[in-house]
Short mmCIF file of all heavy atoms in Angstrom, two decimals:
data_model
loop_
_atom_site.label_atom_id
_atom_site.label_comp_id
_atom_site.label_asym_id
_atom_site.label_seq_id
_atom_site.Cartn_x
_atom_site.Cartn_y
_atom_site.Cartn_z
N PRO B 41 155.62 -41.89 -11.84
CA PRO B 41 155.03 -42.05 -13.17
C PRO B 41 153.65 -42.69 -13.10
O PRO B 41 153.19 -43.06 -12.02
CB PRO B 41 156.02 -42.98 -13.88
CG PRO B 41 156.63 -43.78 -12.78
CD PRO B 41 156.67 -42.89 -11.58
N ASN B 42 152.99 -42.84 -14.23
CA ASN B 42 151.69 -43.49 -14.29
C ASN B 42 151.78 -44.90 -13.70
O ASN B 42 152.72 -45.63 -13.96
CB ASN B 42 151.19 -43.61 -15.73
CG ASN B 42 150.82 -42.26 -16.31
OD1 ASN B 42 151.22 -41.93 -17.41
ND2 ASN B 42 150.08 -41.48 -15.56
N GLY B 43 150.80 -45.22 -12.89
CA GLY B 43 150.74 -46.57 -12.33
C GLY B 43 151.67 -46.79 -11.16
O GLY B 43 151.84 -47.91 -10.70
N ALA B 44 152.26 -45.71 -10.61
CA ALA B 44 153.22 -45.86 -9.52
C ALA B 44 152.53 -46.24 -8.21
O ALA B 44 153.16 -46.80 -7.32
CB ALA B 44 154.00 -44.57 -9.33
N GLY B 45 151.24 -45.92 -8.10
CA GLY B 45 150.52 -46.23 -6.86
C GLY B 45 150.12 -44.99 -6.08
O GLY B 45 149.74 -45.08 -4.92
N LYS B 46 150.14 -43.83 -6.73
CA LYS B 46 149.80 -42.58 -6.06
C LYS B 46 148.32 -42.55 -5.65
O LYS B 46 147.97 -42.29 -4.50
CB LYS B 46 150.11 -41.38 -6.97
CG LYS B 46 151.56 -41.32 -7.44
CD LYS B 46 151.84 -40.09 -8.29
CE LYS B 46 151.14 -40.08 -9.64
NZ LYS B 46 151.63 -41.11 -10.58
N THR B 47 147.47 -42.83 -6.66
CA THR B 47 146.03 -42.78 -6.39
C THR B 47 145.63 -43.84 -5.37
O THR B 47 144.82 -43.58 -4.48
CB THR B 47 145.24 -42.96 -7.69
OG1 THR B 47 145.60 -41.89 -8.57
CG2 THR B 47 143.75 -42.93 -7.45
N THR B 48 146.23 -45.01 -5.48
CA THR B 48 145.91 -46.07 -4.53
C THR B 48 146.26 -45.63 -3.11
O THR B 48 145.48 -45.83 -2.17
CB THR B 48 146.67 -47.35 -4.91
OG1 THR B 48 146.40 -47.65 -6.28
CG2 THR B 48 146.24 -48.51 -4.04
N GLN B 87 141.57 -37.47 -8.52
CA GLN B 87 142.24 -37.32 -9.81
C GLN B 87 141.24 -37.10 -10.94
O GLN B 87 141.44 -36.26 -11.81
CB GLN B 87 143.06 -38.59 -10.07
CG GLN B 87 143.80 -38.55 -11.39
CD GLN B 87 144.77 -39.72 -11.53
OE1 GLN B 87 144.91 -40.55 -10.65
NE2 GLN B 87 145.45 -39.78 -12.65
N GLU B 88 140.14 -37.89 -10.89
CA GLU B 88 139.12 -37.72 -11.92
C GLU B 88 138.14 -36.65 -11.44
O GLU B 88 137.84 -36.58 -10.25
CB GLU B 88 138.35 -39.03 -12.14
CG GLU B 88 139.23 -40.22 -12.44
CD GLU B 88 140.03 -40.07 -13.73
OE1 GLU B 88 139.60 -39.29 -14.60
OE2 GLU B 88 141.09 -40.70 -13.85
N ASP B 163 145.12 -35.13 -5.85
CA ASP B 163 145.66 -36.19 -6.70
C ASP B 163 145.75 -35.69 -8.14
O ASP B 163 144.74 -35.57 -8.82
CB ASP B 163 144.75 -37.42 -6.60
CG ASP B 163 145.42 -38.67 -7.15
OD1 ASP B 163 146.59 -38.58 -7.58
OD2 ASP B 163 144.77 -39.73 -7.14
N GLU B 164 146.96 -35.38 -8.56
CA GLU B 164 147.22 -34.86 -9.91
C GLU B 164 146.19 -33.81 -10.33
O GLU B 164 145.48 -33.98 -11.32
CB GLU B 164 147.24 -36.01 -10.92
CG GLU B 164 148.21 -37.11 -10.48
CD GLU B 164 148.75 -37.91 -11.63
OE1 GLU B 164 148.96 -37.32 -12.71
OE2 GLU B 164 149.00 -39.12 -11.44
N THR B 195 149.95 -35.17 -5.31
CA THR B 195 150.61 -36.15 -6.17
C THR B 195 150.72 -35.59 -7.58
O THR B 195 149.88 -34.81 -8.01
CB THR B 195 149.84 -37.49 -6.26
OG1 THR B 195 148.80 -37.36 -7.22
CG2 THR B 195 149.28 -37.92 -4.93
MG1 MG C 502 146.46 -41.77 -10.15
#
Side-chain angles (χ1 to χ4, degrees):
Chain B
N42 290 132
K46 303 183 292 293
T47 299
T48 307
Q87 180 171 359
E88 306 298 336
D163 195 1
E164 307 206 34
T195 82

